[in-house]
């Protein structure tokens, strides 16, 4: 019974994620349950309102991706490198996982909220870099605003201009952010071009968490 309930909840969240990615948040609950292939009554066993389901879907996507970033940066000793690698992987996500990317773009404030999902992790990484004297940042939360804005605008640019190289664009943005946060031009360039983890394996690991 518990496994069945978990599968039903996951199906509803997956359906809601697809509607959010498509920008179709005004669909009736019946359409969501049909997309999830569950009964209408099952919806109310898990969520009181459609808005509650959408919030759960957004938080699920952000937390799952944030957990993946934590895994992929766990062995890096330099907090500046941790920050840069997370930003670079997220920039590449806009092309590799367009549905999750669109969830982020359609819910920009969720990306910037310092107490949730990948934003809380970005704030943690910025603060760690400040404590290690790697970043010269007066207010980490304001720095997070800059980072979130850069990531959102980068994602929209990549969707609007599919001819752009997402890796080169992302690396240029993170290089400028590192310089803004106090690294020298040469070190910012070096860190922004370091090898990344295998992205195909990362995508598979992300899929296994959904």
């Amino acid at each position: 019974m518990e496994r069945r309930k978990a599968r039903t909840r996951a199906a509803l969240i997956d359906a809601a994620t697809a509607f959010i990615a498509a920008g179709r948040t005004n669909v009736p609950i019946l359409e969501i349950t049909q997309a999830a292939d569950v009964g209408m009554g099952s919806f109310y066993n898990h969520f009181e309102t459609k808005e509650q389901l959408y919030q759960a879907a957004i938080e699920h996507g952000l937390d799952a991706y944030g957990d993946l970033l934590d895994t992929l940066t766990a062995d890096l000793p330099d907090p500046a490198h941790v920050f840069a690698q997370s930003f670079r992987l997220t920039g590449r996500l806009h092309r590799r996982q367009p549905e999750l990317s669109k969830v982020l773009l359609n819910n920009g404030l969720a990306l910037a909220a310092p107490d949730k999902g990948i934003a809380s992790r970005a704030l943690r990484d910025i603060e760690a870099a400040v404590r290690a004297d790697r970043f010269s940042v007066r207010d980490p939360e304001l720095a997070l605003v800059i980072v979130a804005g850069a990531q959102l605008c980068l994602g929209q640019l990549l969707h609007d201009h599919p001819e752009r190289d997402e890796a080169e664009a992302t690396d240029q943005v993170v290089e400028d952010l590192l310089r803004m946060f106090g690294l020298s031009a040469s070190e910012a360039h070096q860190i922004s071009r370091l090898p990344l983890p295998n992205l195909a394996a990362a995508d598979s690991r992300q899929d296994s968490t959904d």
Side-chain angles (χ1 to χ4, degrees), residues 5 40-47:
K5 288 174 64 176
M40 176 72 86
S42 297
F43 177 92
Y44 293 102
N45 290 333
H46 297 274
F47 303 100

Side-chain angles (χ1 to χ4, degrees), residues 17-101:
T17 299
F19 283 118
I20 294 169
R24 299 179 59 206
T25 56
N26 292 324
V27 298
I29 291 174
L30 177 59
E31 191 169 346
I32 297 173
T33 57
Q34 288 175 339
D37 195 23
V38 302
M40 176 72 86
S42 297
F43 177 92
Y44 293 102
N45 290 333
H46 297 274
F47 303 100
E48 295 180 2
T49 64
K50 180 174 61 177
E51 290 71 26
Q52 190 180 77
L53 168 60
Y54 284 146
Q55 184 63 33
I58 293 167
E59 290 178 358
H60 172 78
L62 293 176
D63 285 339
Y65 186 70
D67 289 343
L68 177 62
L69 289 180
D70 283 348
T71 299
L72 296 178
T73 58
D75 296 330
L76 302 179
D78 178 9
H81 187 186
V82 171
F83 167 82
Q85 180 159 295
S86 293
F87 190 99
R88 294 172 69 204
L89 290 170
T90 302
R92 286 154 172 81
L93 168 144
H94 296 297
R95 290 274 173 76
R96 299 183 69 86
Q97 296 192 39
E99 185 171 274
L100 179 55
S101 169

Side-chain angles (χ1 to χ4, degrees), residues 15 28 79 144 152 167:
L144 175 63
L152 288 169

